[in-house]
Amino acid sequence: MAAPATGEPDELELIAYRLRRWVASPRPYLALVGIGLLLGFWYLTVDLLQLPRFAQMPGLPAVLHEFLSRNPDYGTSLFTADYYQDVWASLRRIAIGFALATVLGVPVGLMLGWSQRFREYVFPVFELLRPIPILAWVPLAIIMFAGSETPVVYLTFLGSFFVTALNTLLGVRSIDRRYLLAAACLGARPWSVFRHVIIPGALPFIFTGLEISIGIAWFSLVAAEMVSGQYGLGYLINTSYTQVEYPTIVIGMVTLGVVGYGTSVLVRAAGAALRRGHTRGG
Amino acid sequence: MSDSLQIRLVGWRVRLPRPRIDRARRRALVSFALLLLIWELGSTSASWLGTPLPVLGRIPSPTAVGTVWLHLLGQADYWGSWYQSCLRVLLGFTAALLVGVPFGLWLATNRLAHGICFPVFEMLRPIPPLAWVPAAIIFWPTQELSIASVIFLGAFYTIVTNVLGGARAIDARLIQSAQSLGASRWTVFRRIVFPAVLPSIFVGMEVGIGITWEVVVAAEMISGGGSGGASGGLGFFIWNSYVGGSYPQIIVGMLSIGIAGYLSSSAIRWAAPRVMRWR
Amino acid sequence: MEMNKKKQKNFVNKDPEITNLASGMEVQGVAKYYGDGPLRRTVIEDCSFTLERGKVTVMIGPSGGGKSTLVRLLAGFEKPSAGHILIDDREVQRAGPDRLVVFQETALYPWMSTEENVLFGPKAQGVAAGTARARVDELLRRVGLAGFRDKYPAQLSGGMKRRAELARALANDPAVMILDEPFRGLDAMTRSLMVEYYAELIEETRTTHLFVTTDVDEAIVLADRILVMSHRPMRLISDIPVDLPRPRHLLDVIANNKASDIKRRVIELIHLEVMRSFGGRTSGMKSTG
Amino acid sequence: MGQSRGALSFVDVTKTYRPGDEHVRAVEHCSFDVPPGEIFMIAGPSGCGKTTLLNAVAGFQGIDAGTIRLDGQILCGPDRQALPGPDRVVVFQEGALFPWKTILENVAFGPIVQNRLSRRDALEKARALMADAGLGGHEHDYPATVSSGVQRRAEIVRALMNDPTVLLLDEPYRALDRITKSLMHESLLEIHARSGVTILFITHDLEEAVFLGHRVAVMTARPGRHKQTIVIDLPHPRDYSIVTTPRFRELLQEVSDAVREEAVRAFAQGDAEGGLAVVR
């Protein structure tokens, strides 16, 4: 594997090299130990020792059995249709809410950062509404919007919108003044300054904002679904609690973790791809 | 160089930082007034427009909310809800701080602990805190403990992540220069690592307290509302107002929590420079 | 500003003889590379020289050449990939016990006052509080920061920060003092004042110094010997003795012919090296010397 | 020598800053002339208003009294602030290449946003100019991935793309180490020899002032006034070996003495950045 003498080692080789180093390092084995301890503790306390405090809790084997069986006792497992219906319902709401929050949040954030007049009028109201916890909006959302779908999407949108707009604003304010002066010197008119300096300059902050925003979206979604949803993972967890189908609670939580992590990886990958297009080394 | 640097781009003025304070305040007042006006007209439109507006029409008007709030200010159980929620936030948040900071520092300084615990920590992090509510209710004996445990979880993740981030960002030269001056591992930790991480601890606290308020409201709504226990708190107050049909109280509850959340984060912002005198 | 010529005699170390605490250092065939496989980068290649006991050795070379890496090896923060580094014929262990003090820019602890910063070393080594405080007071007075004792680093100017760092390094009675471009980032005026000021300080402490810089004038004012280093991978190109009378001043370097000869030789060597470091992409630039 | 345009004349320029309530007089009755086509150095202690003058010419700030003329026309006065424009391009101390654009896109930025050239022509001219300045091969690198020496030269080329009347340099090489600095000096002299653009250069570094300048104007301590202009009669083209010639050492001595006097006064006023308390 002759790496080109002076040039950068090519992409593939770099990955192979890093993989080899990762496998050689203790990290993967320590991670396995950690996970083993967690599952071991769970199995030990619930099933083996059957400690009083853990009596009600669903055991590891019970959850696994439920999750992997063809016809689960409580109707939800990898092979049942409505499991995927719940997953899809949550994902669809996240997609709509997150997309709306991005499409509205970024421009609002850019305007807040760029135009003095817009900021002085809009930002005070923005700061008044932001501290109100998303969940406090639930009753109002139910009243305001008919049906059960819109309130949940609205709540998912709300959390993400504030975070996206705020981070975009911070992004614009983070741009060093000398870049604005330099652009002015080179004869750029306001619109060119906005397009060539403000937007690219704020990009890194916008991406950090999106990564936080997807997390907040899931946070709001689960809460909304637990209180007022029809389908969705939050709804699944809450109903399986009320109907004393405890293993399904854990299934819902694990699914939330996996799907939630998946969406954050997607957002991070999109950010990295766009950023790589913009600043190779930056 | 003067602060209010002014550039006159061709035909368009950009006045950069530090606008005159009075104008900014004037504009804020104008926008608040406008918001209240639209809200008032929107929600009372049913009376003079004939048909209520689709969204705005359904919510109670500011005047209604105002009168209800004034009335509530005299009520004991309104302030009781404040007390309950604040107590829960304080307990859950302090516990998260007392456990989270040492745990974060331990992970930052001990490679083995980081190797084992961090993957598990990262694995559980995507699960939103509220998904733990049912499990917490099952596990913990009392209503109070289950809510407190979920609040703890919400703040714990933020604090640990920030402490780890802060520890990783320490300039290696600070530690190297301490070693070259003969400092022991403990001295390096106590007098270099900890103060260097302090600013990120405060950032974690400020974000954490915000999340704690989000979680306390939800936990009170879900558990309080669910089994009808007299757990109280602002979250339950809102849910109860909704169930009881007194809609203006919902908005009173929302604004109250907003104020409570704002007060707690500004308390932290106020405390930070006092603790970190060198900033 | 006419530097106060009157020598202050009551400094702790009475006689100008080399303090018995100073030690020599030996660098034998040291090499250092990072990463392996496709990512391998050689930073230092077969570097050998000695730091004479009680003398000031100045190392000069193009930036990014590997000088800072060598400083970290000398201080024991990292191990060399090949070769040995000895202090008084013993392999270098860790910075602390070998009393190797590294002067690193912006390494003041922002959360400690100036006095606490300077006290940090002696306290960490368990020096009795009384003597430590006395020594620190003396040092603060000597670097002209007595009035700024409880100010935080953020409240000091660039020049004052450097002098506080200097005081902190000296507070430990170092066997070898390694300074990695300590006056970088200061404006030219403050820099020239600091260089002259440091030249006088060396006169009085007479400990072993390694001074890393890219400024020829600084080198000539301070050095007993100048080591000219190559571009990456770094190796020693030439070892030029500087036997000008002390104390020296920057203006001497400008006026004195002997100093100018040395300066011209060093500039020529470095220019050759830098041309190579630009990899000939400087077709547009006239190559000099 | 060089082009005929780019003559600057400062007449009785005065500027006061009002941070908070107290007011600080940065420049007072400052008058001097900058002949066209020359490298004109401005040296002086910190706080003597050097940057204020440069910002006034660039149009980032106004002045309270006096006038600044460019080739005879009034550039700015007490009631009229200049507009920033491509005829007076500033190169900043910490550098202002747009990190999100490649070096080539940076250099071609001016003509493109002014719609003076089509994107294709601008990129082509930029490529040629970069090759001349020895930046060939860096076209598609991003600023963060190249050395500070390359970044500095790229920023000057970006300015020259607009054929400016005056090039305004605010301590452009302060952050560089001495060796890269000497390389930058030679590259700047070469660029000036080719373009003949008038250069207004602010510096703390006296050796840099004497090596680069046709003239060196020394400013007094705050409030800044023009103290004297020392003509540097060294031959052109100059290279680094000139630094050890007797004539160079004489001129450096002359400039150092003039500036040192002001540095002491600046220090007494608590302006000096170094703030070196008189030791012992």
Side-chain angles (χ1 to χ4, degrees):
Chain A
M1 198 164 52
T6 53
E8 298 252 336
D10 55 41
E11 206 63 34
L12 198 62
E13 211 177 309
L14 226 53
I15 296 169
Y17 168 72
R18 288 215 177 87
L19 198 63
R20 243 191 357 271
R21 272 250 309 232
W22 184 69
V23 169
S25 79
R27 284 204 303 275
Y29 312 105
L30 286 178
L32 285 180
V33 166
I35 295 164
L37 280 175
L38 177 73
L39 298 181
F41 172 78
W42 181 11
Y43 180 69
L44 189 73
T45 49
V46 176
D47 294 279
L48 276 184
L49 301 175
Q50 285 163 351
L51 301 171
R53 173 78 6 255
F54 290 84
Q56 298 259 349
M57 297 295 283
L60 176 62
V63 169
L64 280 181
H65 169 69
E66 180 71 13
F67 202 16
L68 305 174
S69 79
R70 287 248 171 276
N71 44 40
D73 320 342
Y74 306 113
T76 314
S77 80
L78 272 180
F79 307 95
T80 56
D82 54 21
Y83 169 72
Y84 293 102
Q85 209 171 13
D86 287 329
V87 172
W88 171 244
S90 291
L91 271 179
R92 192 162 39 78
R93 290 167 183 156
I94 281 284
I96 302 169
F98 179 71
L100 259 176
T102 310
V103 164
L104 289 176
V106 172
V108 165
L110 287 172
M111 280 310 290
L112 280 174
W114 171 246
S115 143
Q116 176 75 25
R117 188 178 301 115
F118 185 82
R119 181 168 58 250
E120 282 183 359
Y121 280 119
V122 169
F123 198 62
V125 172
F126 183 89
E127 276 302 287
L128 174 75
L129 299 175
R130 193 164 61 86
I132 299 175
I134 305 304
L135 266 298
W137 283 91
V138 166
L140 208 62
I142 298 170
I143 300 167
M144 281 200 292
F145 302 105
S148 70
E149 198 55 26
T150 337
V152 175
V153 171
Y154 169 74
L155 291 167
T156 316
F157 155 78
L158 206 60
S160 303
F161 170 75
F162 281 116
V163 167
T164 310
L166 194 64
N167 270 282
T168 309
L169 165 61
L170 291 179
V172 174
R173 299 310 291 268
S174 75
I175 299 172
D176 195 301
R177 202 151 51 90
R178 62 180 194 275
Y179 293 122
L180 295 168
L181 297 180
C185 253
L186 296 167
R189 270 182 294 285
W191 166 242
S192 320
V193 174
F194 190 77
R195 201 166 71 82
H196 287 290
V197 179
I198 296 295
I199 294 178
L203 222 50
F205 270 78
I206 292 177
F207 286 121
T208 12
L210 293 185
E211 278 170 40
I212 301 169
S213 152
I214 192 75
I216 304 264
W218 277 105
F219 176 94
S220 321
L221 176 84
V222 164
E225 282 177 349
M226 282 175 123
V227 176
S228 71
Q230 278 309 320
Y231 288 97
L233 293 171
Y235 175 77
L236 170 68
I237 293 176
N238 205 29
T239 39
S240 51
Y241 162 68
T242 42
Q243 285 152 18
V244 198
E245 303 162 351
Y246 291 161
T248 324
I249 296 178
V250 180
I251 292 174
M253 288 167 70
V254 167
T255 315
L256 259 176
V258 170
V259 175
Y261 183 69
T263 47
S264 335
V265 166
L266 268 179
V267 168
R268 223 173 290 132
L274 248 161
R275 213 174 290 166
R276 199 172 305 118
H278 246 277
T279 46
R280 190 162 56 83
Chain B
M1 208 152 62
S2 92
D3 259 356
S4 64
L5 187 78
Q6 178 183 351
I7 309 181
R8 199 140 11 89
L9 298 183
V10 174
W12 199 71
R13 280 157 58 97
V14 170
R15 175 184 282 276
L16 284 175
R18 208 158 69 74
R20 282 199 312 283
I21 302 302
D22 46 16
R23 194 194 56 187
R25 208 170 285 129
R26 186 163 44 79
R27 287 183 170 171
L29 288 178
V30 163
S31 50
F32 282 135
L34 209 61
L35 177 75
L36 286 177
L37 191 66
I38 296 170
W39 181 7
E40 181 68 32
L41 295 178
S43 47
T44 54
S45 60
S47 54
W48 45 272
L49 256 183
T51 61
L53 292 169
V55 171
L56 215 48
R58 291 215 185 82
I59 53 174
S61 69
T63 35
V65 171
T67 43
V68 166
W69 205 342
L70 281 177
H71 164 64
L72 274 175
L73 289 179
Q75 296 289 323
D77 64 357
Y78 169 68
W79 294 111
S81 315
W82 266 80
Y83 171 72
Q84 281 281 358
S85 290
C86 289
L87 191 64
R88 285 197 185 105
V89 164
L90 201 61
L91 285 177
F93 182 71
T94 322
L97 207 57
L98 295 180
V99 175
V101 171
F103 180 70
L105 287 173
W106 182 49
L107 285 197
T109 46
N110 179 326
R111 193 170 292 282
L112 184 69
H114 187 278
I116 294 175
C117 304
F118 190 69
V120 172
F121 176 86
E122 275 301 295
M123 211 177 67
L124 297 177
R125 190 149 68 105
I127 304 174
L130 289 167
W132 291 91
V133 167
I137 294 170
I138 302 168
F139 180 75
W140 295 100
T142 67
Q143 193 87 43
E144 210 51 53
L145 270 176
S146 52
I147 296 178
S149 68
V150 177
I151 295 171
F152 167 85
L153 214 57
F156 176 74
Y157 271 105
T158 320
I159 290 172
V160 171
T161 319
N162 273 283
V163 167
L164 271 178
R168 216 170 283 125
I170 297 178
D171 180 344
R173 283 183 303 192
L174 293 181
I175 295 174
Q176 279 173 355
S177 68
Q179 285 163 348
S180 97
L181 294 169
S184 67
R185 266 179 67 81
W186 169 243
T187 320
V188 169
F189 177 79
R190 191 170 54 85
R191 302 205 59 193
I192 310 292
V193 173
F194 182 71
V197 167
L198 213 50
S200 5
I201 293 178
F202 271 97
V203 168
M205 282 167 70
E206 200 177 334
V207 174
I209 198 92
I211 293 183
T212 322
W213 275 105
E214 302 263 349
V215 170
V216 81
V217 167
E220 284 168 355
M221 268 190 202
I222 298 166
S223 61
S227 62
S231 57
L234 288 169
F236 178 69
F237 172 82
I238 293 180
W239 188 253
N240 212 12
S241 317
Y242 167 62
V243 168
S246 48
Y247 291 170
Q249 277 192 197
I250 297 176
I251 298 182
V252 167
M254 284 169 71
L255 293 177
S256 312
I257 295 177
I259 294 167
Y262 178 75
L263 288 179
S264 26
S265 10
S266 24
I268 291 174
R269 270 196 300 275
W270 172 83
R274 273 149 193 77
V275 172
M276 302 187 281
R277 280 189 315 287
W278 69 89
R279 303 271 301 201
Chain C
M1 157 174 34
E2 204 33 51
M3 197 51 89
N4 177 334
K5 276 282 154 279
K6 188 170 66 56
K7 273 270 170 305
Q8 191 65 16
K9 258 309 147 211
N10 55 17
F11 174 63
V12 169
N13 163 31
K14 292 285 174 306
D15 47 24
E17 271 319 308
I18 300 169
T19 59
N20 42 31
L21 297 170
S23 352
M25 276 188 89
E26 186 73 31
V27 175
Q28 298 162 345
V30 161
K32 181 71 181 175
Y33 46 79
Y34 288 100
D36 47 25
L39 288 179
R40 178 157 172 164
R41 248 177 345 98
T42 309
V43 177
I44 300 174
E45 191 186 50
D46 182 20
C47 205
S48 306
F49 56 87
T50 57
L51 299 183
E52 274 169 70
R53 195 161 163 277
K55 287 276 189 289
V56 179
T57 311
V58 171
M59 184 187 290
I60 191 164
S63 59
K67 301 194 292 299
S68 298
T69 313
L70 186 60
V71 163
R72 279 206 302 279
L73 295 179
L74 286 170
F77 297 146
E78 279 175 55
K79 288 279 165 279
S81 313
H84 303 283
I85 300 180
L86 309 172
I87 175 166
D88 291 346
D89 315 327
R90 253 188 318 91
E91 191 82 22
V92 166
Q93 301 305 331
R94 273 187 309 94
D98 295 331
R99 284 188 301 103
L100 277 159
V101 169
V102 179
F103 179 118
Q104 280 174 326
E105 183 212 344
T106 64
L108 281 180
Y109 307 127
W111 48 83
M112 293 184 200
S113 69
T114 311
E115 187 179 33
E116 283 164 345
N117 261 293
V118 183
L119 264 172
F120 183 82
K123 241 189 190 167
Q125 290 183 342
V127 170
T131 43
R133 197 164 292 284
R135 184 188 301 168
V136 164
D137 284 348
E138 172 56 25
L139 270 171
L140 284 179
R141 199 186 50 70
R142 290 220 45 260
V143 294
L145 290 175
F148 300 88
R149 158 190 323 272
D150 27 11
K151 284 269 189 294
Y152 285 101
Q155 298 162 304
L156 301 179
S157 73
M160 287 194 232
K161 282 197 193 121
R162 294 298 177 284
R163 284 181 287 131
E165 282 153 10
L166 217 50
R168 188 176 66 173
L170 288 170
N172 265 29
D173 265 334
V176 174
M177 185 103 130
I178 307 171
L179 301 104
D180 187 358
E181 288 189 66
F183 308 137
R184 184 175 39 192
L186 294 180
D187 66 76
M189 211 79 59
T190 320
R191 178 192 277 266
S192 50
L193 296 177
M194 285 298 288
V195 168
E196 290 198 3
Y197 172 74
Y198 191 71
E200 281 175 29
L201 218 57
I202 292 173
E203 272 295 293
E204 278 143 11
T205 55
R206 299 308 297 159
T207 184
T208 317
H209 286 264
L210 171 66
F211 197 95
V212 174
T213 182
T214 52
D215 185 325
V216 179
D217 295 335
E218 258 174 45
I220 294 174
V221 169
L222 298 172
D224 293 321
R225 263 175 54 240
I226 296 183
L227 306 177
V228 182
M229 312 306 284
S230 72
H231 179 66
R232 203 203 320 241
M234 189 172 79
R235 44 180 177 61
L236 179 60
I237 300 177
S238 129
D239 181 340
I240 305 171
V242 177
D243 43 21
L244 299 170
R246 282 183 188 276
R248 303 176 190 150
H249 294 288
L250 265 173
L251 293 183
D252 303 347
V253 170
I254 297 175
N256 175 311
N257 293 342
K258 205 150 171 302
S260 302
D261 294 344
I262 299 175
K263 180 170 180 176
R264 187 178 307 110
R265 257 175 72 200
V266 172
I267 289 180
E268 270 150 23
L269 284 170
I270 292 179
H271 255 268
L272 221 58
E273 268 311 303
V274 170
M275 282 307 134
R276 251 196 288 113
S277 79
F278 268 61
R281 273 209 211 116
T282 57
S283 53
M285 223 175 345
K286 198 157 46 58
S287 69
T288 57
Chain D
M1 167 62 201
Q3 62 194 44
S4 61
R5 58 195 177 103
L8 274 164
S9 86
F10 297 79
V11 175
D12 205 20
V13 174
T14 305
K15 170 74 183 176
T16 309
Y17 292 119
R18 287 173 185 71
D21 35 34
E22 17 95 33
H23 72 282
V24 173
R25 170 139 301 177
V27 178
E28 194 180 44
H29 307 310
C30 182
S31 309
F32 59 94
D33 292 331
V34 176
E38 283 193 0
I39 300 181
F40 191 90
M41 312 296 294
I42 301 185
S46 51
C48 73
K50 306 193 288 288
T51 308
T52 307
L53 292 178
L54 184 129
N55 282 345
V57 174
F60 300 154
Q61 275 176 303
I63 53 177
D64 299 338
T67 58
I68 302 178
R69 288 174 188 277
L70 177 58
D71 291 336
Q73 272 104 23
I74 290 200
L75 189 61
C76 65
D79 49 358
R80 214 167 81 84
Q81 182 180 333
L83 275 179
D87 57 339
R88 289 150 289 121
V89 186
V90 174
V91 174
F92 294 87
Q93 187 173 334
E94 308 91 24
L97 288 177
F98 303 124
W100 46 81
K101 287 180 180 297
T102 63
I103 305 271
L104 189 65
E105 287 161 351
N106 260 289
V107 171
F109 180 80
I112 292 177
V113 284
Q114 297 157 36
N115 297 324
R116 214 152 44 84
L117 291 172
S118 75
R119 185 174 165 74
R120 209 168 42 74
D121 300 344
L123 288 175
E124 207 160 298
K125 184 183 174 196
R127 208 184 299 277
L129 261 178
M130 281 179 70
D132 284 352
L135 293 171
H138 285 297
E139 286 83 359
H140 301 298
D141 295 342
Y142 281 88
T145 63
V146 296
S147 72
S148 44
V150 169
Q151 282 177 26
R152 299 284 60 191
R153 277 183 286 151
E155 199 164 346
I156 288 176
V157 170
R158 176 173 77 172
L160 293 175
M161 265 293 279
N162 306 285
D163 307 320
T165 317
V166 180
L167 191 55
L168 302 166
L169 305 180
D170 185 358
E171 288 186 70
Y173 307 135
R174 171 162 178 184
L176 302 180
D177 62 273
R178 297 292 291 190
I179 295 169
T180 321
K181 211 176 207 181
S182 60
L183 276 172
M184 294 302 107
H185 291 163
E186 289 177 11
S187 137
L188 185 68
L189 285 181
E190 219 169 86
I191 290 175
H192 179 263
R194 265 208 309 283
S195 64
V197 64
T198 312
I199 295 181
L200 198 63
F201 193 113
I202 290 184
T203 184
H204 274 284
D205 184 339
L206 304 185
E207 187 173 301
E208 175 175 69
V210 176
F211 179 72
L212 288 176
H214 290 83
R215 286 166 217 274
V216 177
V218 177
M219 299 277 286
T220 65
R222 188 167 55 79
R225 252 189 319 283
H226 174 255
K227 180 173 182 183
Q228 70 187 94
T229 297
I230 300 167
V231 176
I232 308 293
D233 52 12
L234 295 170
H236 272 279
R238 303 173 185 166
D239 75 22
Y240 228 74
S241 53
I242 204 167
V243 164
T244 46
T245 59
R247 181 59 187 146
F248 183 91
R249 295 194 331 236
E250 253 166 62
L251 287 165
L252 183 56
Q253 186 72 55
E254 194 183 340
V255 173
S256 303
D257 294 343
V259 174
R260 204 160 254 242
E261 239 171 77
E262 297 308 320
V264 172
R265 277 204 17 254
F267 168 71
Q269 290 171 194
D271 282 344
E273 199 266 341
L276 185 75
V278 177
V279 175
R280 284 188 296 281

